[in-house]
């Protein structure tokens, strides 16, 4: 036994040494090449001079007899080494002259693909009247929140807290909202599905961490891009990076699961699910999601955004986002912003693509549920058809459009502002059919839970091992397969399978915890902090990327990246994101949810009403 342990440890040490030696060799090779990023210090650029953002494609001066460095430049890696980015202060020398001086020693020349130049002082945008009106409205809303909080507390002290005159004020009172968050209406499903709250928190932490790393990898000017080149040669980083395109599947699983429970609950309560119920279902879902999304839309169309991100290099990206939102932002109001992305050149408020895909799938499956009951057709036939079409479309796109299929979130997609409009995002990641199979899995597991909610499902040792293997193993396997692409055919097969595989693991884990299995894992996801933070994930999701992006580029420069900088930043971004999510939930999302329940018709308990009439 000792011999086996010694051999294993020895092999592991050798393997780690081999990886480190390979990474070191890569760093030495790439040090010989032109820098991918270089940014002039804006402090050294006078206000009356032009500051230019330039994207450059390198090529040999003599293409028939390229220099030796060209072989390294064209070598497959995390970056496209023939594509470099510069932020220049242009004075006496032109962009072309600066490039000529820099690339002369490499025997290379550079073609300018895109440039954006303005006098430095013009980068500081001034807010227009409409922005001042929006800010005034927001301040008035915030003032009303403060007034409601003070007034309701005063009424409580006077013994008038139950007065009908105060019920609307109480909806906007921060103390009342805080009290409701900490004392939710508990029922059977809330207690059984308590792990959902923790999974929401876990998913949001994962998504925020991913975006934090992506900002460092694909947005900032990195002095040592070799750090990211070495990711494939690490033991654990490839699996973590492979999850970048999969983490959001957690939310699709939970959304479909809860939809399934809601629909089955309505049928149990009323004995039927009518067309009126369906329309009310859709209306309430739309009104539940739209207020926070509308705030994001206003923010991304306002000059206030450009006034915040004033660094010259990123000004053009922010202005492009504003222009895009002013042109196609209306699509966000109808939750169709993830459609026709290739033609639109991106998505207004990119993180909202999830809200669109989720809303469309929510509408589709609830509609199928109604039709299935109306026509007496089992839902499995509809699900089979949707899954077949979703897989077929993805495989068909793989063989008819030139793109990788499975999205690897890496710097090969630079420049970052064009990432959302890439073929990989437009035809695989963002479309609704890309997550349809995952959504079906979530709905099916919701049905399994509904019919077995009082039964232990993973009650034998073999079933418990299956639970742990699926919950932990399937997401890890899916993350690994995302990075695995031996040939076009295998990748085309994996494209429609990897995301459902990841989601299946999450669904098995949630089902086990909902029916009493999980041990310490269940305790972790149902712990008080995880459950508490789960209340704020929608607001946190919508607002976190603007915060993560803004915090990192506000004082942009050439940065040196290491594990401490890259992963340490997530320790800042995650709590800050939840803080802003908590603020917007309390001042916007929660009060409007309460108002919606009062003013918008809800699906009533008709059976209970009929019984009361008889009595």
């Amino acid at each position: 036994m000792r011999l086996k342990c010694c051999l294993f440890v020895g092999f592991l040490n050798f393997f780690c040494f081999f990886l480190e030696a390979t990474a070191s060799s890569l760093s030495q090779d790439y040090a010989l090449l032109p820098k991918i990023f270089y940014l002039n210090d804006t402090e050294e650029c006078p206000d009356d001079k032009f500051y230019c953002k330039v994207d450059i494609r390198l090529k040999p001066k003599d293409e028939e007899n390229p220099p030796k460095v060209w072989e390294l430049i064209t070598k497959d890696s995390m970056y496209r080494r023939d594509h470099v980015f510069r932020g220049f202060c242009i004075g006496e020398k032109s962009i072309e002259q600066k490039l000529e001086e820099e690339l002369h020693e490499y025997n290379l020349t550079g073609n300018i693909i895109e440039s954006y130049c303005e006098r430095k002082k013009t980068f500081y945008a001034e807010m227009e009247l409409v922005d001042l009106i929006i800010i005034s409205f927001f301040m008035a809303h915030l003032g009303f929140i403060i007034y409601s909080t003070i007034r309701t507390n005063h009424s409580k002290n006077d013994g008038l807290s139950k007065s009908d005159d105060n019920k609307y004020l109480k909806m906007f009172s921060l103390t009342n909202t805080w009290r409701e968050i900490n004392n939710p209406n508990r029922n059977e499903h809330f207690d059984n599905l308590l792990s959902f709250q923790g999974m929401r928190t876990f998913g949001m932490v994962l998504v925020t961490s991913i975006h934090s790393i992506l900002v460092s990898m694909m947005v900032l000017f990195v002095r040592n891009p070799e750090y990211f080149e070495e990711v494939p040669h690490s033991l654990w980083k490839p699996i973590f990076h492979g999850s970048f395109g999969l983490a959001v599947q957690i939310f699709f699983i939970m959304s479909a699961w809860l939809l399934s429970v809601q629909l089955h609950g309505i049928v149990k309560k009323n004995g039927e699910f009518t067309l009126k119920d369906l329309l009310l279902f859709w209306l309430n879902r739309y009104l539940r999601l739209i207020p926070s999304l509308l705030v994001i839309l206003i923010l991304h169309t306002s000059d206030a955004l450009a006034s915040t991100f004033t660094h010259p290099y990123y000004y053009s990206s922010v202005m492009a986002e504003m222009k895009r939102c002013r042109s196609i932002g209306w699509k966000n109001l109808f939750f169709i912003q993830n459609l026709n992305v290739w033609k639109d050149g991106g998505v207004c408020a990119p993180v909202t693509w999830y809200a669109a895909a989720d809303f469309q799938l929510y509408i589709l499956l609830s509609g199928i549920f109604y039709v299935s009951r109306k026509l007496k057709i089992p839902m499995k036939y509809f699900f089979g058809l949707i899954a077949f079409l979703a897989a077929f479309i993805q495989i068909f796109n793989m063989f008819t459009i030139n793109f990788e299929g499975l999205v690897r979130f890496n710097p090969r997609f630079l420049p970052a502002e064009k990432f959302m409009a890439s073929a990989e995002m437009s035809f695989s990641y963002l479309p609704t059919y890309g997550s349809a199979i995952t959504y079906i899995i979530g709905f099916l597991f919701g049905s399994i839970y509904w019919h077995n909610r009082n039964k232990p499902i993973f009650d034998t040792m073999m079933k418990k091992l299956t639970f742990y293997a699926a919950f932990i193993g399937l997401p890890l396997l899916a993350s690994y397969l995302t990075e695995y692409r031996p040939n076009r055919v295998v990748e085309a097969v994996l494209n429609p399978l990897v995301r459902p595989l990841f989601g299946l693991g999450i669904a098995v884990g949630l089902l086990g915890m909902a029916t009493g299995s999980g041990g310490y894992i269940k305790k972790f996801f149902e712990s008080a902090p995880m459950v508490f933070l789960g209340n704020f994930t929608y607001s946190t999701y919508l607002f976190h990327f603007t915060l993560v992006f803004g915090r990192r580029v506000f004082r942009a420069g050439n940065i040196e990246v290491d594990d401490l900088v890259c992963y340490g930043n997530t320790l800042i971004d995650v709590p800050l994101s939840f803080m802003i999510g908590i603020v917007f939930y309390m001042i916007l999302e929660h009060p409007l949810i309460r108002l919606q329940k009062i003013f918008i018709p809800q699906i009533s308990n008709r059976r209970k009403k009929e019984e009361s009439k008889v009595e």
Side-chain angles (χ1 to χ4, degrees), residues 229-240:
E229 297 278 10
E230 295 166 4
V231 166
H233 305 280
S234 169
L235 282 173
W236 62 274
K237 288 180 184 177
I239 295 179
F240 177 59

Side-chain angles (χ1 to χ4, degrees), residues 365-385:
L365 264 68
S366 56
I368 287 175
F369 184 84
Y370 168 76
V371 172
S372 172
R373 295 188 59 84
K374 192 76 173 176
L375 302 180
K376 309 299 182 185
I377 301 174
M379 291 190 70
K380 62 183 180 181
Y381 296 115
F382 292 104
F383 288 162
L385 178 61

Side-chain angles (χ1 to χ4, degrees), residues 20 30 76 117 128 137 201 216 261 267 324 327 333 399 455 480 521 582 600:
E20 291 177 2
Y30 290 133
D76 186 34
C117 298
E128 298 177 354
F137 181 82
T201 301
S216 294
V261 171
V267 172
R324 183 163 49 248
S327 174
L333 300 178
F399 288 110
K455 305 174 186 175
Y480 168 76
I521 293 179
I582 291 171
I600 305 301

Side-chain angles (χ1 to χ4, degrees), residues 501-517:
L501 186 67
F502 184 94
L504 178 61
I506 300 299
V508 171
L510 290 172
L511 180 63
M513 289 186 284
T515 54
S517 300

Side-chain angles (χ1 to χ4, degrees), residues 34-284:
K35 294 179 180 178
I36 297 176
F37 304 105
Y38 181 74
L39 191 67
N40 273 161
D41 189 347
T42 56
E43 300 296 329
E44 300 175 0
C45 189
D47 287 348
D48 61 339
K49 299 297 183 182
F50 281 94
Y51 196 98
C52 294
K53 169 185 176 179
V54 190
D55 299 349
I56 304 147
R57 183 65 52 82
L58 302 179
K59 67 176 185 178
K61 286 184 176 180
D62 183 358
E63 295 188 28
E64 294 183 359
N65 186 27
K68 291 183 179 180
V69 294
W70 188 246
E71 183 178 346
L72 283 175
I73 290 174
T74 54
K75 185 178 179 180
D76 186 34
S77 68
M78 289 281 281
Y79 289 88
R80 292 190 55 174
R81 289 276 173 169
D82 64 336
H83 198 172
V84 298
F85 306 89
R86 299 291 183 263
F88 285 138
C89 182
I90 304 301
E92 298 177 356
K93 297 180 181 179
S94 65
I95 297 175
E96 290 77 10
Q97 289 174 320
K98 284 179 172 286
L99 288 176
E100 177 65 27
E101 290 181 0
E102 178 187 347
L103 299 175
H104 177 73
E105 64 176 295
Y106 303 101
N107 201 21
L108 299 172
T109 186
N111 289 337
I112 298 175
I113 302 173
E114 189 173 344
S115 64
Y116 181 89
C117 298
E118 285 279 2
R119 291 191 184 277
K120 183 187 169 186
K121 62 182 179 181
T122 64
F123 286 112
Y124 299 87
E126 296 181 0
M127 288 187 288
E128 298 177 354
L129 177 61
V130 65
D131 300 310
L132 296 175
I133 293 174
I134 292 170
I135 292 174
S136 299
F137 181 82
F138 177 78
M139 295 303 295
H141 175 76
L142 196 59
F144 181 70
I145 293 285
I146 296 172
Y147 169 77
S148 299
T149 304
I150 296 173
R151 177 66 183 272
T152 53
N153 285 339
H154 178 71
S155 298
K156 182 179 180 181
N157 293 333
D158 292 343
L160 302 174
S161 60
K162 295 183 179 180
S163 171
D164 290 337
D165 295 337
N166 291 324
K167 70 176 182 179
Y168 295 113
L169 292 179
K170 286 163 67 176
M171 293 180 190
F172 291 90
S173 168
L174 294 177
T175 53
N176 196 64
T177 297
W178 189 260
R179 196 177 302 115
E180 290 179 358
I181 293 171
N182 287 280
N183 297 281
N185 294 323
R186 306 184 75 94
N187 54 41
E188 176 192 7
H189 298 302
F190 183 89
D191 291 333
N192 287 347
L193 302 178
L194 199 60
S195 57
F196 269 58
Q197 291 291 89
M199 184 59 75
R200 283 195 181 103
T201 301
F202 174 78
M204 196 62 245
V205 169
L206 185 57
V207 168
T208 304
S209 300
I210 287 167
H211 286 157
S212 180
I213 293 170
L214 284 177
V215 168
S216 294
M217 182 189 294
M218 300 180 63
V219 177
L220 300 183
F221 270 56
V222 180
R223 290 178 185 172
N224 57 325
E226 297 80 19
Y227 170 82
F228 293 111
E229 297 278 10
E230 295 166 4
V231 166
H233 305 280
S234 169
L235 282 173
W236 62 274
K237 288 180 184 177
I239 295 179
F240 177 59
H241 283 247
S243 70
F244 282 11
L246 302 174
V248 76
Q249 301 299 306
I250 294 173
F251 297 103
F252 283 116
I253 286 290
M254 290 190 292
S255 175
W257 184 310
L258 295 176
L259 169 63
S260 179
V261 171
Q262 281 183 292
L263 292 173
H264 284 96
I266 292 170
V267 172
K268 180 184 178 182
K269 184 170 61 177
N270 294 331
E272 60 180 349
F273 185 66
T274 66
L275 180 60
K276 180 182 178 181
D277 292 337
L278 179 65
L279 295 178
L280 285 177
F281 212 62
W282 290 352
L283 176 63
N284 278 279

Side-chain angles (χ1 to χ4, degrees), residues 167-168 171 284 591-602:
K167 70 176 182 179
Y168 295 113
M171 293 180 190
N284 278 279
L592 294 183
I593 290 174
R594 293 288 308 279
L595 283 176
Q596 179 180 335
K597 290 180 178 179
I598 291 178
F599 291 106
I600 305 301
Q602 306 293 309

Side-chain angles (χ1 to χ4, degrees), residues 318-371:
V318 176
M319 292 300 292
E321 169 69 359
M322 288 173 51
K323 182 179 179 181
R324 183 163 49 248
C325 285
R326 290 175 179 180
S327 174
I328 61 173
W330 61 270
K331 298 176 72 172
N332 294 47
L333 300 178
F334 297 97
F335 292 98
I336 57 174
Q337 60 266 40
N338 66 327
L339 305 180
N340 207 26
V341 176
W342 180 262
K343 183 178 179 181
D344 290 338
V347 177
C348 169
V351 296
T352 65
W353 77 268
Y354 162 76
D358 178 79
F359 183 77
Q360 293 163 25
L361 289 168
Y362 190 94
I363 296 295
L364 176 63
L365 264 68
S366 56
I368 287 175
F369 184 84
Y370 168 76
V371 172

